[in-house]
Amino acid sequence: MSRPNPTLETTFCGIRCLNPFWLASAPPTNCGEQIMRAFDAGWGGAVWKTIGEPITNVSSRYSSIDWEGRRMMGFNNIELISDRPIEVNLQEIAEVKRRYPKHVVIASLMVESKRETWHDIVQRAEDTGADGLELNFGCPHGMSERGMGSAVGQVPEYCEQITGWVKEKARTPVIVKLTPNISDIRIPARAAKRGGADALSAINTINSITGIDLDTFQPSPNVDGKSSHGGYCGPAVKPIALNMVQQVQSDPASALPLSGIGGIGSWRDAAEFILLGCGTVQVCTAAMHYGYRIVEDMQDGLLGWMAEKGFSTLDDFRGLSLPNVVEWKQLNLNYQIVARIHEDLCIGCQLCYTACWDGAHQCIHLDRNLPVPDTTRTPSMVEANSARHISTTPIPKLDAGDLGRTNAVTPLERIPRVDEHHCVGCNLCSLVCPVENCISMERIDKDLPFESWEERTAKGVIPPGAREVMSTNT
Amino acid sequence: MSERVSFHQQIAIDSELANRFGDLHPPFDKQAAVTEANRCLYCFDAPCTVACPTHIDVPSFIKKITTGNLAGSARTILDANILGGSCARACPVDVLCEGACVMHRYNKQPIEIARLQRFAVDALHESGASLPFEPGADTGLSVALVGAGPASLACAAELRRRGIRATLYDARPLPGGLNTYGVAEYKLPLVESLREIEMLAQLGVDFNFETIVDFLKLAELEHNHDAIFLGIGLGAIHQLGIAGEQLPGVTNALDLIAAYKSGSLTTVPARVVVVGAGNTAIDAAIAAVRLGATDVHIVYRRGQEQMSAFTFEYEHAKSEGVKFLWHVQPTAIRGVQGVEGLELIRLVSSEDGSIVEESSSKFLLAADLVVLSIGQAAHASFLTEYGEGLSKIQLERGRILIDRTTGQTSSPKFFAGGDCTNGGREVVDAVADGKRAGIGIAAWLEARHV
């Protein structure tokens, strides 16, 4: 069976897109010159940096978290909306649309919460030829203090009302951008839907303080010795964003076409957001880190994966993972796995051993060389014992045997052993193991039929709240 | 005491020497150190720690580098090994900590433990902080330590931390023994050895230099102190017992190394032959290259597989241009006013496994300098006569017999460690011996003097 060449072309709430990769409303979409360069690099769309009454920014305004030598795992900003005059932004949008008619330009808007003001800005934005509007109800700093941004996004009534005002005037699709700084993202999502939104985008940045300078005691980003909570984004927030996307998409009262945002830096991230129902994805931190050029691999990689999986369009796999996210009570209680340590791959670091004892369920032991298994030896006993060992520098002529000589085979006493009867299948050992495939989780559930907590309690088999308790250390 | 000049300020640093003997393993810069430290898996009950004779908690000190806790990292190192800076430079890590690294079993480069250790200890030195330990409350007890090499220094540190007075006696003008005088300069510069020992002076260790401890002096020490630690090392390098050995131009490896390190020797003639193939022979041969010799040979009566030098030392020597002659035996040193050559005869294995001379295979290897490096004599022989009955210090093949865990000799008041007990191993072995003896002496004194 021959497969058609996959395409990234897609339609998002009625807007034709060359590909689903949009730049999010942020510094990379600050002006027309930037956006045209981005389009040249391959971006399918751009959400213009939020337009409103020009503001004054502070410096510095960005800060970040590094992780083990990797820069900007988490990124934070206290920058506000565009600091350029509304007229200039609107003129440039018109110019970009004139030169790049097939590329998507969305005008992100934020003005004071008055009906007339919104009507006015919607009209002016649409007159530029923009393909759609994104209402910035998420900005968590500065603007919220002026009754805008997340001050709107956090109050469902305001969210619904302003969306309604915009819809009274708008001729193009209206996308509402949601703030994650709320206990349940479905509440503002439902409000936006009630207000008539055509689509949603999520998530905006998360309130954060990235760190404190331990010499000066000043937080980052440092503005003359002081700081303010900023918006967190970048790779670190992806899991939070995925969860919120799933929540919105699984809720019939809030589900709308969704543009996914939050830590997307590669085609893999994009595929995950689309599998949870997103129609397009928006990227910011990765573009700020590496420049527009990253989109080349995003397109190339996604197409390659689609071809491999037999998908011709994004719609072929959009939302496929949604049914796989269920509530805890619907999970199969009879699915049982245990850890297996593959001795031929084990390098003897014993991270799994100490992680299991201290961080999990005490099911991994170092007693392979003992005649009788001793499952009561704690890590501190093992360490105390080896500390008594006296070693000397091996000298070839003086020392018989290959003392100190290393080879690829790990000594048996350094290879931990899983007590499969007690292993709860928590997975921690395989997560800490530094060697690929060395610890695998294997199914041992003996073909018991599916049974969830919901089913069990419905049958009255066990009283709600009860649970088997097993001592693992006897 | 206040106007004493610190040890490393008592020597002049020769820039020419520093140039010729630049670091074999250059130090890490901060970024590289943190990146390398992050590569460490933080093994539980880590093989590197077990492989280290002093059992430095390697994963812990490396973890502290990743978080910028350099003072804590140095403390972790020095707590286990008071000469952690010297050992970071001088240790044969390929057969110790780095050789035991689990990364080998993952087909990856082992963590560069030694360079990280040096990074942490150097940072402590550069910060100007003192040794992160306090002397213990004075117990009124006192121990004499004979020799001021690594074993005695480590022992003294343990004693001082337990409030026991430690008085060192050494024949040389500066402390450190082989650390100061015997380790190749490109591994451990003399000034670095002294800088580290200076911290021990701050811990209240007393030093007596240019003091020979003989039979009588030992009796005096025994009378005046509660215990004695013998860290006397080994004696002179063996002689070949062949003609011409008294000619000018015949020296030994330890004298050669001590001479160039202390600046009294700055050049050698063009043709140098080193007899012997241990690690010291390698150090001497490389020193000869770096001091200007153009033609350096190592001659050894057995084959490459039987030499006691570590493989990486052998490879290093070859990379410096040292040439090796195997299965040859010196029969005479030729020359009139001075050395002109070394007469050698080839050796072959006979059927019974012994090595015999191959007839009419004599040849002359031209040389201006012959360096002997064929093992050291024991130095402890004077102890055989010392004491009587139960208090006699037992020796075995010239080495002082000790209980490995406490360093105690057969004479209870005497403890020992280092080369004089193990026949000559690494600095870190001496440190470990000294440390165990220090703990052992303190425990013994406590048990006797409660």
Side-chain angles (χ1 to χ4, degrees):
Chain A
M1 195 180 84
S2 70
R3 293 187 191 125
N5 273 343
T7 175
L8 294 176
E9 283 183 32
T10 188
T11 302
F12 180 74
C13 66
I15 304 168
R16 300 274 307 148
C17 310
L18 293 170
N19 66 52
F21 301 111
W22 292 3
L23 286 166
S25 171
T29 60
N30 198 39
C31 68
E33 185 272 339
Q34 279 178 292
I35 290 180
M36 290 189 283
R37 276 197 287 121
F39 288 165
D40 288 343
W43 294 90
V47 184
W48 207 276
K49 185 166 165 72
T50 305
I51 300 164
E53 282 304 318
I55 48 72
T56 304
N57 270 310
V58 293
S59 63
S60 61
R61 58 190 86 156
Y62 306 146
S63 61
S64 72
I65 302 280
D66 298 341
W67 177 248
E68 299 212 338
R70 183 85 193 272
R71 305 288 276 169
M72 274 170 64
M73 178 200 83
F75 186 72
N76 174 72
N77 82 86
I78 52 170
E79 187 167 304
L80 304 183
I81 64 169
S82 179
D83 53 9
R84 309 160 77 230
I86 297 176
E87 299 71 31
V88 175
N89 278 311
L90 296 176
Q91 279 165 20
E92 289 184 12
I93 292 178
E95 180 64 15
V96 170
K97 273 312 288 183
R98 194 178 65 74
R99 295 201 205 181
Y100 292 81
K102 289 184 177 173
H103 288 73
V104 176
V105 177
I106 305 287
S108 172
L109 305 176
M110 183 194 291
V111 290
E112 61 177 323
S113 300
K114 284 186 186 154
R115 187 178 189 176
E116 298 71 33
T117 317
W118 276 101
H119 280 181
D120 177 58
I121 192 71
V122 166
Q123 169 108 44
R124 292 168 72 190
E126 290 193 336
D127 287 348
T128 63
D131 299 283
L133 307 171
E134 187 179 82
L135 312 187
N136 184 344
F137 292 170
C139 189
H141 39 256
M143 305 314 288
S144 53
E145 293 156 19
R146 309 169 196 195
M148 295 183 264
S150 62
V152 174
Q154 287 168 338
V155 182
E157 293 74 26
Y158 297 167
C159 197
E160 180 177 351
Q161 187 176 41
I162 294 175
T163 308
W165 293 340
V166 170
K167 281 300 289 180
E168 287 167 6
K169 194 78 179 175
R171 289 161 283 133
T172 60
V174 173
I175 306 166
V176 172
K177 186 167 180 176
L178 302 174
T179 175
N181 298 311
I182 190 158
S183 56
D184 185 344
I185 195 153
R186 288 172 295 195
I187 307 297
R190 287 171 189 158
K193 191 168 181 175
R194 284 197 303 274
D198 300 287
L200 302 170
S201 55
I203 58 174
N204 207 312
T205 54
I206 306 169
N207 281 342
S208 71
I209 294 172
T210 43
I212 312 285
D213 186 311
L214 293 182
D215 293 319
T216 64
F217 313 145
Q218 294 164 345
S220 323
N222 186 328
V223 185
D224 197 13
K226 303 277 192 272
S227 191
S228 188
H229 70 86
Y232 201 44
C233 55
V237 311
K238 193 184 93 172
I240 297 163
L242 281 175
N243 174 56
M244 292 192 166
V245 162
Q246 184 273 331
Q247 286 194 307
V248 169
Q249 291 302 82
S250 303
D251 176 34
S254 31
L256 281 174
L258 181 64
S259 188
I261 313 170
I264 297 161
S266 74
W267 64 269
R268 308 187 77 96
D269 301 325
E272 291 176 56
F273 276 83
I274 295 169
L275 283 165
L276 284 178
C278 290
T280 61
V281 293
Q282 296 185 28
V283 177
C284 173
T285 310
M288 290 179 77
H289 196 162
Y290 301 110
Y292 298 134
R293 58 189 174 151
I294 54 163
V295 77
E296 197 274 331
D297 175 57
M298 298 182 89
Q299 296 188 62
D300 190 48
L302 190 60
L303 281 172
W305 175 78
M306 287 168 68
E308 190 186 306
K309 298 290 176 192
F311 299 131
S312 352
T313 68
L314 301 181
D315 286 338
D316 290 353
F317 65 97
R318 193 157 51 80
L320 284 189
S321 294
L322 280 173
N324 294 337
V325 185
V326 294
E327 287 184 67
W328 190 93
K329 65 183 179 188
Q330 296 163 327
L331 297 173
N332 183 3
L333 295 174
N334 283 338
Y335 174 71
Q336 185 61 51
I337 53 171
V338 295
R340 290 247 160 92
I341 298 172
H342 297 275
E343 293 90 347
D344 52 333
L345 294 174
C346 178
I347 59 173
C349 71
Q350 297 179 349
L351 285 180
C352 58
Y353 167 72
T354 195
C356 187
W357 271 86
D358 294 358
H361 302 85
Q362 302 87 45
C363 313
I364 298 185
H365 305 283
L366 292 179
D367 55 6
R368 284 182 191 254
N369 276 11
L370 302 183
V372 181
D374 176 10
T375 58
T376 59
R377 279 200 313 172
T378 64
S380 57
M381 290 158 79
V382 170
E383 270 196 311
N385 192 43
S386 81
R388 282 193 282 271
H389 184 87
I390 295 172
S391 53
T392 50
T393 311
I395 294 174
K397 267 169 82 176
L398 296 177
D399 300 305
D402 284 336
L403 246 170
R405 197 77 64 76
T406 58
N407 54 35
V409 180
T410 305
L412 201 58
E413 70 267 20
R414 284 209 64 85
I415 302 179
R417 170 185 71 87
V418 177
D419 182 346
E420 290 190 8
H421 293 294
H422 287 150
C423 176
V424 299
C426 75
N427 218 22
L428 180 66
C429 53
S430 77
L431 297 179
V432 300
C433 180
V435 181
E436 218 172 335
N437 303 323
C438 176
I439 300 183
S440 56
M441 304 304 297
E442 296 183 14
R443 190 166 185 167
I444 52 145
D445 59 13
K446 304 186 186 78
D447 297 327
L448 287 170
F450 180 99
E451 188 185 29
S452 67
W453 176 259
E454 194 172 41
E455 286 173 352
R456 240 192 236 185
T457 48
K459 275 188 236 158
V461 177
I462 44 169
R467 194 193 177 285
E468 302 92 327
V469 176
M470 178 168 51
S471 170
T472 56
N473 195 18
T474 47
Chain B
M1 244 352 239
S2 57
E3 67 254 54
R4 67 174 281 270
V5 181
S6 62
F7 296 130
H8 53 280
Q9 283 164 348
Q10 293 174 32
I11 52 150
I13 296 173
D14 182 348
S15 63
E16 169 70 11
L17 190 73
N19 281 342
R20 282 176 182 265
F21 291 88
D23 271 324
L24 189 59
H25 302 291
F28 270 132
D29 59 44
K30 183 167 179 285
Q31 175 130 10
V34 171
T35 305
E36 181 66 10
N38 271 317
R39 226 163 56 78
C40 173
L41 298 177
Y42 197 50
C43 293
F44 173 78
D45 189 21
C48 48
T49 293
V50 177
C52 172
T54 61
H55 301 319
I56 294 172
D57 188 343
V58 175
S60 289
F61 94 69
I62 291 180
K63 188 81 179 167
K64 291 178 181 183
I65 291 175
T66 70
T67 66
N69 179 11
L70 294 184
S73 180
R75 190 192 161 93
T76 299
I77 295 162
L78 297 173
D79 189 38
N81 182 335
I82 201 73
L83 299 181
S86 296
C87 287
R89 291 173 165 86
C91 266
V93 288
D94 303 49
V95 298
L96 293 173
C97 51
E98 291 182 21
C101 180
V102 299
M103 286 291 188
H104 287 291
R105 301 198 272 268
Y106 203 8
N107 292 325
K108 289 184 179 175
Q109 283 297 313
I111 308 302
E112 292 194 61
I113 297 168
R115 287 176 77 197
L116 288 172
Q117 181 170 323
R118 176 175 167 186
F119 177 76
V121 179
D122 280 1
L124 181 79
H125 288 171
E126 278 157 29
S127 75
S130 57
L131 207 56
F133 308 112
E134 295 283 317
D138 191 11
T139 58
L141 298 166
S142 122
V143 174
L145 301 100
V146 185
S152 295
L153 292 168
C155 183
E158 293 298 335
L159 295 171
R160 288 302 300 137
R161 290 176 69 185
R162 287 165 174 75
I164 300 168
R165 285 206 299 281
T167 312
L168 279 88
Y169 298 87
D170 198 282
R172 300 239 199 200
L174 284 169
L178 285 182
N179 251 20
T180 299
Y181 292 102
V183 181
E185 188 75 5
Y186 51 78
K187 292 180 192 163
L188 174 58
L190 184 133
V191 63
E192 294 299 333
S193 169
L194 295 176
R195 199 191 303 277
E196 190 160 59
I197 298 165
E198 183 60 31
M199 300 185 99
L200 283 166
Q202 295 165 9
L203 202 58
V205 175
D206 289 327
F207 292 91
N208 293 282
F209 297 114
E210 299 179 273
T211 307
I212 307 282
V213 175
D214 54 12
F215 203 91
L216 284 173
K217 181 76 179 170
L218 197 61
E220 180 196 322
L221 294 179
E222 185 180 2
H223 182 259
N224 293 339
H225 295 275
D226 299 293
I228 316 281
F229 177 78
L230 300 166
I232 54 179
L234 292 171
I237 280 193
H238 288 302
Q239 296 278 297
L240 285 165
I242 56 174
E245 210 162 348
Q246 309 312 320
L247 281 171
V250 179
T251 184
N252 71 67
L254 287 178
D255 286 350
L256 176 89
I257 293 167
Y260 88 71
K261 279 177 74 84
S262 56
S264 63
L265 177 75
T266 54
T267 180
V268 294
R271 297 169 302 180
V272 177
V273 178
V274 178
V275 181
N279 293 315
T280 306
I282 301 260
D283 281 351
I286 294 171
V289 171
R290 297 198 176 193
L291 290 168
T294 50
D295 197 21
V296 178
H297 281 90
I298 280 185
V299 300
Y300 185 48
R301 63 198 176 92
R302 299 192 216 218
Q304 181 193 329
E305 57 290 345
Q306 285 117 330
M307 71 173 170
S308 62
F310 295 118
T311 308
F312 53 87
E313 297 279 14
Y314 170 57
E315 295 300 330
H316 178 206
K318 283 198 296 185
S319 75
E320 298 253 354
V322 175
K323 285 164 275 190
F324 287 78
L325 282 177
W326 307 111
H327 304 292
V328 289
Q329 169 94 35
T331 49
I333 296 169
R334 293 286 172 80
V336 185
Q337 300 295 320
V339 170
E340 286 167 21
L342 181 65
E343 190 183 271
L344 296 162
I345 188 163
R346 293 192 195 284
L347 302 175
V348 287
S349 299
S350 69
E351 281 175 14
D352 64 357
S354 62
I355 302 169
V356 296
E357 294 178 358
E358 191 179 354
S359 55
S360 59
S361 66
K362 270 189 189 166
F363 65 102
L364 189 73
L365 184 61
D368 310 308
L369 178 68
V370 171
V371 183
L372 304 183
S373 184
I374 49 174
Q376 279 172 273
H379 182 106
S381 49
F382 73 102
L383 295 170
T384 40
E385 308 303 318
Y386 196 79
E388 282 171 15
L390 276 180
S391 64
K392 212 169 166 67
I393 299 167
Q394 282 184 19
L395 306 185
E396 188 186 78
R397 285 188 296 150
R399 301 177 200 169
I400 303 172
L401 271 182
I402 54 164
D403 170 22
R404 286 268 289 141
T405 53
T406 62
Q408 196 163 33
T409 68
S410 53
S411 175
K413 199 173 174 177
F414 287 82
F415 292 72
D419 283 357
C420 64
T421 62
N422 63 30
R425 286 185 182 248
E426 300 296 327
V427 174
V428 68
D429 294 310
V431 173
D433 279 358
K435 175 176 138 182
R436 283 190 288 264
I439 297 166
I441 292 170
W444 182 73
L445 288 177
E446 194 186 341
R448 280 190 70 214
H449 291 263
V450 271

